[in-house]
C-alpha cells in the first residue's frame, strides 16, 4: 500500500480589525467557513486592541505589557468571530490547526498560547497582528498569506509600499520576506468571491 499523501499546506488569511462592526464581516466569515480546510484565519485586535492603546497613557503601562494585552485582544476577537461563524474551528497550536483541517474545517487561530511564549516577537507597538499573521504563516509553512483590509493596496505594490501607505506595521516586510509563497492584500468582497470559487488556497 502506498504511503498516504501528506496533508495540504495551509493558507493564512488575516482579517483586519477595521472589519469589526462592518456589514462585510459576517458574510465574509461565513464564506471562509464554507471554504473549510486548509484555511487558517487570523483575527486582528480591532476595537479591543484600540482600547489597550487608549489605556496605556492613562495607566502608564509599558509597551511589553500592552503587547501581551493586544495579543489577548486578538484572542477575544477570535472568540467573537467563532461565535459569528460556528463553522470555524478555534485552534491555538499547529496540532489543533491540523486537527481542524483533518475535519475539513477552517481553523481560527487563538494566538495567546504561541505568541506569548515566542521569543522572536518584539514587545512593541511596531508589531501588529499583520506581522503576527506573517509569523504564523512562516511557522506553518503556509502556501500564501492574504491580508484582508478595508482599503486596497496600490497596484503593483509590495510590503515596503504598504508600510508607507499605512496598511501594515513597519516590521511586516521582514516577517513577510521569510515566506515562500505570495503575500497579498485583498478587499473583503474580492476574498469572498475567491472563496466561492474555491481558489483561495491556490
Amino acid at each position: 500500500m502506498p504511503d498516504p499523501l501528506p496533508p495540504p499546506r495551509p493558507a493564512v488569511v488575516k482579517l483586519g480589525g477595521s472589519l469589526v462592526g462592518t456589514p462585510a464581516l459576517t458574510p465574509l466569515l461565513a464564506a471562509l467557513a464554507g471554504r473549510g480546510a486548509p484555511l487558517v484565519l487570523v483575527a486582528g485586535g480591532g476595537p479591543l486592541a484600540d482600547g489597550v492603546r487608549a489605556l496605556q497613557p492613562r495607566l502608564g503601562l509599558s509597551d511589553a505589557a500592552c503587547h501581551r494585552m493586544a495579543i489577548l485582544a486578538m484572542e477575544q476577537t477570535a472568540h467573537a468571530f467563532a461565535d459569528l461563524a460556528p463553522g470555524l474551528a478555534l485552534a491555538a497550536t499547529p496540532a489543533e490547526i491540523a486537527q481542524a483541517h483533518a475535519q475539513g474545517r477552517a481553523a481560527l487561530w487563538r494566538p495567546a498560547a504561541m505568541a506569548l511564549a515566542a521569543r522572536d516577537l518584539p514587545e512593541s507597538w511596531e508589531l501588529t497582528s499583520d506581522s503576527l499573521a506573517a509569523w504564523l504563516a512562516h511557522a506553518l509553512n503556509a502556501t500564501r498569506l492574504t491580508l484582508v483590509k478595508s482599503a486596497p493596496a496600490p497596484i503593483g505594490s509590495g510590503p515596503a509600499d504598504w508600510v508607507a501607505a499605512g496598511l501594515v506595521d513597519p516590521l511586516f516586510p521582514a516577517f513577510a520576506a521569510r515566506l515562500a509563497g505570495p503575500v497579498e492584500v485583498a478587499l473583503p468582497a474580492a476574498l469572498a468571491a475567491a472563496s466561492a470559487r474555491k481558489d483561495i488556497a491556490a
Side-chain angles (χ1 to χ4, degrees):
M1 176 180 292
D3 293 334
L5 294 175
R9 290 164 57 200
V12 174
V13 175
K14 156 68 193 326
L15 301 176
S18 62
L19 299 177
V20 174
T22 68
L25 177 62
T26 301
L28 177 58
L29 289 173
L32 294 171
R35 178 65 182 90
L39 290 184
V40 180
L41 307 186
V42 177
L48 296 168
D50 291 340
V52 176
R53 288 182 183 272
L55 193 62
Q56 183 175 22
R58 293 176 60 187
L59 295 182
L61 299 173
S62 67
D63 281 355
C66 289
H67 166 80
R68 295 188 289 270
M69 293 166 70
I71 288 172
L72 293 173
M74 292 173 61
E75 183 106 353
Q76 292 180 75
T77 305
H79 280 283
F81 286 3
D83 192 62
L84 293 172
L88 299 172
L90 286 165
T93 64
E96 291 180 6
I97 290 171
Q99 183 178 19
H101 288 167
Q103 298 169 354
R105 301 172 69 187
L108 177 55
W109 188 43
R110 293 173 46 218
M114 293 177 64
L116 291 179
R119 294 294 175 262
D120 58 341
L121 295 175
E123 294 183 326
S124 162
W125 282 116
E126 289 193 329
L127 180 93
T128 70
S129 52
D130 291 326
S131 281
L132 279 169
W135 177 83
L136 177 67
H138 179 259
L140 298 177
N141 191 27
T143 58
R144 70 191 306 128
L145 170 62
T146 303
L147 306 178
V148 185
K149 300 283 186 179
S150 297
I155 295 175
S157 63
D161 305 301
W162 303 342
V163 173
L167 288 174
V168 298
D169 63 75
L171 302 181
F172 180 79
F175 282 98
R178 303 192 302 171
L179 304 181
V183 180
E184 60 191 359
V185 172
L187 295 173
L191 187 67
S195 180
R197 293 195 305 269
K198 303 293 186 182
D199 64 0
I200 188 173

